[in-house]
Amino acid sequence: MSELKTLALFFVTALAEITGCYLPWLWLREGKSAWLLVPGALCLALFAWLLTLHPTAAGRVYAAYGGVYICAALLWLWGVDGIRPGVWDAVGGGVALAGMAIIMFAPRH
């Protein structure tokens, strides 16, 4: 799988997970409808399925995915919560993406 496809798949996966967690959060913290749990559960099922599409060991996928999740969460912070990430958020996100790239794309025997 090409590096760009892998990164795109990770970001779609992160979007599914964050949405799947955000919808119950809206119900619990903001008093929104409990019906949000239905699409939330579907998003979390989609998240789990998307993780299976990577052609490498599950542990490696989970470890690398964490770096992309961090960046996706920072984008969510900006786009959904309306809070612009600061310089240190960007630095941390960059470090997380560098870790993901090392884990996923380093040469293997």
Side-chain angles (χ1 to χ4, degrees):
M1 185 177 291
S2 78
E3 287 84 359
L4 207 49
K5 278 178 138 176
T6 298
L7 192 56
L9 181 57
F10 271 140
F11 270 103
V12 171
T13 304
L15 182 61
E17 182 182 12
I18 292 170
T19 303
C21 293
Y22 184 68
L23 295 175
W25 184 87
L26 287 174
W27 169 60
L28 290 168
R29 297 281 306 256
E30 303 290 324
K32 303 291 183 187
S33 172
W35 284 105
L36 289 173
L37 297 176
V38 174
L42 292 173
C43 285
L44 290 175
L46 176 64
F47 154 71
W49 176 73
L50 288 168
L51 282 176
T52 69
L53 299 180
H54 291 275
T56 189
R60 183 170 292 130
V61 169
Y62 301 154
Y65 166 72
V68 175
Y69 180 86
I70 290 168
C71 291
L74 290 171
L75 291 172
W76 187 278
L77 174 71
W78 194 358
V80 175
D81 294 330
I83 300 170
R84 186 174 181 178
V87 171
W88 292 111
D89 295 319
V91 169
V95 169
L97 279 182
M100 179 279 304
I102 292 167
I103 291 168
M104 286 303 290
F105 308 127
R108 307 245 186 257
H109 300 297

